[in-house]
Amino acid sequence: MRSYDLAIIGSGPGGYVSGLYASRNELKVCVIEKDLVGGTCLNKGCIPTKSLINSASIFGRLKDAQNYGVDIDGYHVNFQRMMLRKDEVVTRLRAGIETLFKANKIDLIRQNASLKNHNTISLSGSEDIEAKYIVIAAGSKPAKLAGTIVSGEAGVMSSDEALSMKELPKSITIVGGGVIGCEFASLFNLLGVNVAIVEFMDRLIPGQSREASKKLEVIFKKRGIGIFLSSKVEGITGKDPIKISVSGGKLLESEKVLISVGRQSATEGLGLENAGVKVENGKIVVDEYLRANSDNTYAIGDCISGPLLAHKASYDGMLACDNILGKKRMRDYSNVPNCIWTDPEISSVGLTEEEARKRYPDLKIAKFPYLASGKAYLRGSVEGYIKLMGDPEGNIAGVEIMGEGACDLIGEATLARTAGVKIDEWSHVVHGHPTLSEIFHEATHIFAGTPIHGL
């Protein structure tokens, strides 16, 4: 029977990062993966969707090229080539992970795994293995649309299946206006598809502030996306076109339907009960050190509580390994940034405005618009803002960005909040000119009462 210091079930951004981190800390490691290396993020989530969004954004810029003195004739969307490039990106990055495994002497076991007891793992195609420690990084899968009759399912897709489409549809109805649904809506709209979103809640992207939700709704409507809020899908029938019955007597028709109502932890079939690992509401129960039982089993990423984000899973993986190595670290998700690749992008760290107002009745807010940024204006990307929220002592309660490059810009805000930088101190940071990051300079000065270009 093979023996390891650490066995990791799952090779997504939690599993493979924890494997590399543990190996570089001189543990003997194996990673067990039943599907493709890289997990959901690399193969069916973050990377393929952002590859397509990047391609769509290039097409969007071409449509506006005349406004910038560039005349282009005869351009069009080659959807098959776009999908092929997406596959090339994914394949290249997957090969990169496997190369890192080999370089760090990590055994990659391509089989199904289930726990036999607290330190033995049964494999589907070979003998059991033993491990001093086990990390469960099983990830998540698309949630199904509960309580809705779906018949004649041709053309009804999950987000996973949407990434394998052969042809660009003329129209699509997206059920779910959360992060994934809005990213796909933005993507398809840029490519000229007729898009409608049906959302059960009273706003899009409920995890963000109401201001961001409303602004995105207005932008989407201006671009021709149909928005149906506080609406429930009651039935999906037929094909060519598919008919979608929506509460209130509305009937929508489209060529495709994308079910995007969130994700759920993939914990089935892992034999968790054999190792004393508890599951509540579909998620593995862990303590503040990410231990899933009192012995040696840890769980990370999408299969435990907390935001379903790739970078959160990587954070979990390294934290669990530090605890295995005896470096006691407690999990803290208060500075994990959110990134949404709609057009415009949305990002945030810390509290939303609504959460911050509840916690701090005398909350102070400073905001600077993209419209007043030289870089944003010359780029023609004037929709958006940076919003800073501070407590009475000037500590950063939260930051929200809407606009071009928001998902890259949030890194500076995350660093500032994690390091405990006060907002008036932040105002002393010098930013390059002309850059979008200068908007932080303007917003921090407004907060400090020393506005430069702000009114």
Side-chain angles (χ1 to χ4, degrees), residues 316-331:
D316 281 350
M318 290 185 284
L319 188 143
C321 287
D322 275 344
N323 287 319
I324 288 169
L325 293 164
K327 308 171 187 177
K328 291 295 184 182
R329 288 179 58 200
M330 296 172 62
R331 62 172 167 165

Side-chain angles (χ1 to χ4, degrees), residues 106 122 159 232 313-314 352 379 427:
I106 296 171
S122 295
S159 57
K232 180 183 179 183
S314 297
T352 65
R379 287 276 299 171
S427 71

Side-chain angles (χ1 to χ4, degrees), residues 20-37:
L20 293 170
Y21 189 74
S23 177
R24 286 168 177 168
N25 279 278
E26 300 183 348
L27 296 183
K28 184 181 179 182
V29 180
C30 74
V31 175
I32 309 165
E33 175 55 62
K34 65 180 180 181
D35 198 356
L36 296 172
V37 171

Side-chain angles (χ1 to χ4, degrees), residues 214-233:
K214 188 60 182 178
K215 283 187 178 295
L216 187 65
E217 179 188 345
V218 170
I219 291 169
F220 273 7
K221 285 181 175 178
K222 190 185 301 183
R223 295 176 183 172
I225 297 175
I227 309 289
F228 300 88
L229 302 176
S230 302
S231 300
K232 180 183 179 183
V233 172

